[in-house]
Amino acid sequence: MRVDVREEPPAAIAEYAALSIAFQVGRVLDVAVIDGGFGGFALSERAVDAPYVKDYDAGDGGPARWAERFDLSRWGLLGARVDGRLVGGAAVAFDTPGLMMLEERRDLAVLWDLRVASEARGTGVGAALFRAVEAWAAARGCRQLKVETQNVNVPACRFYARQGCVLGGIHRFAYPGLPHEVQLLWYKDLYRRDGGGTHLQPGGRMETQGWVLYDDACGFCRRWVPFWASTLRRRGFDIAPLQSPWVREKVTVAEGDLLDDLRLLLGDGRQVQGADVYRHVMRRIWWAWPFYVLACAPGLRRVFDGAYRAFATHRHRFSRACGLPGAVGDAGTPPAFAPSDVTADVQARGS
C-alpha cells in the first residue's frame, strides 16, 4: 500500500476532523513514586477491570474548534492518503504565542494530534505521519519534537518509544478533572552536532544531506522524483515539492523563479539547481558514476545542460502528452512515503 503524506490546506480541517481518534483503553500504566520522588518513578503496566473507549475529541470539540482556541498560522496539518482518500493525519504546532506546551521555545515543535482511520491502523500510516512531522519541524529549525500522551494510552507510549522518543516528563496532577490519568511527555531530538556542523537526522534514519525539490504541478516530475525516493533516501536525500510552504521560506529565490528548475537544498543551507542537481546526486550513487562522468566531460557537459534546459522548459507539454497530471493547488511536506515495514498505528494527541 502506497501512503502519500503531504501538508493539507486549512480548508481540509473538516475532512481531517471526520477521522476518529477514539481508542479502547484495555491496559494502563500505573505510576509509583519512589522515596517521595527522590528515587524517581516506576511505571508498571496492568489490565483494567472494565475496558472502555476514550475519545479525545469528545472533551473539547476536536480539530473543528482549534481555530477558536489557538492561532494556527504557524501550525502544520499533514494528511496521509491512499488512492486520494484521507486515512490519517497529524497536526504539529510551532512558534505559537500562549501555547504552554511549547515552553516558550522557538526550537521546539509539538505533535498536537495524530490520528489514523480504524481500517488503516496497523499498516504503517502512523509511522509515515510521524516521519513527516519530524521533517516538517526540522525544516523550521526545531531541535526537538515533543509529544503528550497519558498513562491510559499504552499503545501510544509504545509507538513513540519505537519512533525514538524518550520519556522526559511525568505530571501526575495535570488533569484535575481526570485524577486517574497521568500526563506523560515524550521528546525526540531532531538535530545532532558533529565536526561537520549541524545536520538534520529525522526519523533516526541515515543523516539527511538535503532535499531534492521538484515541481508538483508537473505530472512528469510528480511521477519521476517520488519513484526514485527510496534510492535517494538511502543516500541521505529526502524529497519535497517546491510548492511546500516551508520550501518557500527556505529557498531564497523570487516567487516567479521558484518553479523554473529542479533544486537541491543541502543540510548546511547551500542550494543547487538545474542540471547540477543530477550531477550532485549521481556522484553519490555508484552505478550512476558513468553518467556523472559523462555529464561533467568537456563538450558533453554543455549537451547535458542543454538537454536538461529543453526538457525543463517544455516539461508540462511532455506531461500532458504522456497523460501524467500534476497536483492541483499547493503541495506539502514531505510529498510521499512508501513504508517498507508494517508498524502499529495508534491515536495520540496533546490536550
Side-chain angles (χ1 to χ4, degrees):
M1 178 178 70
R2 178 179 176 81
V3 182
D4 186 33
V5 180
R6 62 181 65 245
E7 190 167 357
E8 300 284 342
I13 194 70
E15 185 182 12
Y16 180 103
L19 294 171
S20 175
I21 198 172
F23 63 97
Q24 185 177 64
V25 179
R27 304 184 70 83
V28 299
L29 294 172
D30 288 329
V31 180
V33 182
I34 302 173
D35 191 19
F38 287 100
F41 298 89
L43 277 65
S44 58
E45 186 176 338
R46 66 172 174 85
V48 299
D49 295 331
Y52 61 95
V53 173
K54 182 173 180 63
D55 186 355
Y56 291 114
D57 289 348
D60 57 17
R65 297 193 60 187
W66 286 346
E68 301 173 15
R69 303 169 57 201
F70 312 110
D71 176 4
L72 304 181
S73 61
R74 306 284 287 178
W75 286 37
L77 186 68
L78 305 176
R81 296 181 180 272
V82 174
D83 296 329
R85 184 173 63 88
L86 189 69
V87 296
V92 54
F94 161 71
D95 192 21
T96 304
L99 192 64
M100 295 181 61
M101 285 286 289
L102 286 171
E103 306 171 15
E104 297 185 350
R105 293 171 52 184
R106 296 197 63 186
D107 64 345
L108 177 69
V110 172
L111 175 54
W112 191 260
D113 185 277
L114 191 154
R115 56 185 64 205
V116 177
S118 58
E119 68 275 12
R121 297 174 190 177
T123 61
V125 174
L129 283 165
F130 189 87
R131 291 196 296 271
V133 168
E134 288 182 276
W136 190 97
R140 285 156 180 77
C142 293
R143 296 182 179 275
Q144 277 189 321
L145 180 65
K146 180 180 180 180
V147 189
E148 177 187 7
T149 58
Q150 296 76 34
N151 66 319
V152 298
N153 200 343
V154 177
C157 294
R158 297 197 178 283
F159 171 79
Y160 290 119
R162 287 196 300 272
Q163 307 313 309
C165 299
V166 296
L167 185 59
I170 298 176
H171 192 344
R172 297 165 59 223
F173 311 111
Y175 315 113
L178 299 168
H180 64 288
E181 294 194 8
V182 178
Q183 183 188 61
L184 304 176
L185 299 174
W186 300 82
Y187 292 81
K188 181 170 184 180
D189 292 337
L190 301 178
Y191 282 78
R192 75 180 183 93
R193 291 189 179 274
D194 56 25
T198 302
H199 300 277
L200 301 178
Q201 203 171 24
R205 297 170 292 162
M206 178 181 179
E207 182 178 323
T208 301
Q209 304 297 321
W211 291 264
V212 175
L213 309 174
Y214 64 98
D215 180 7
D216 201 44
C218 165
F220 189 91
C221 305
R222 194 168 189 251
R223 179 71 61 86
W224 180 251
V225 178
F227 176 82
W228 290 103
S230 59
T231 299
L232 291 170
R233 289 188 181 114
R234 285 196 295 272
R235 274 75 183 181
F237 297 100
D238 266 315
I239 64 173
L242 283 160
Q243 289 89 343
S244 305
W246 73 268
V247 171
R248 288 171 170 164
E249 293 176 7
K250 293 290 184 180
V251 179
T252 54
V253 298
E255 183 74 17
D257 299 331
L258 182 64
L259 304 180
D260 287 350
D261 276 305
L262 181 71
R263 298 178 184 274
L264 175 63
L265 175 63
L266 297 172
D268 59 7
R270 290 181 296 130
Q271 299 175 26
V272 181
Q273 71 182 76
D276 286 335
V277 175
Y278 285 93
R279 278 186 279 264
H280 189 99
V281 173
M282 288 190 298
R283 185 181 179 185
R284 287 153 179 81
I285 302 175
W286 68 266
W287 51 260
W289 250 88
F291 301 101
Y292 166 71
V293 172
L294 290 173
C296 295
L300 291 178
R301 183 185 185 97
R302 181 175 297 180
V303 174
F304 184 85
D305 289 359
Y308 164 81
R309 175 52 52 203
F311 179 82
T313 301
H314 302 288
R315 64 188 185 278
H316 293 287
R317 292 184 181 179
F318 285 112
S319 298
R320 288 192 295 270
C322 296
L324 299 173
V328 178
D330 285 353
T333 310
F337 291 92
S340 59
D341 58 340
V342 176
T343 307
D345 295 304
V346 297
Q347 315 304 294
R349 58 158 292 185
S351 59

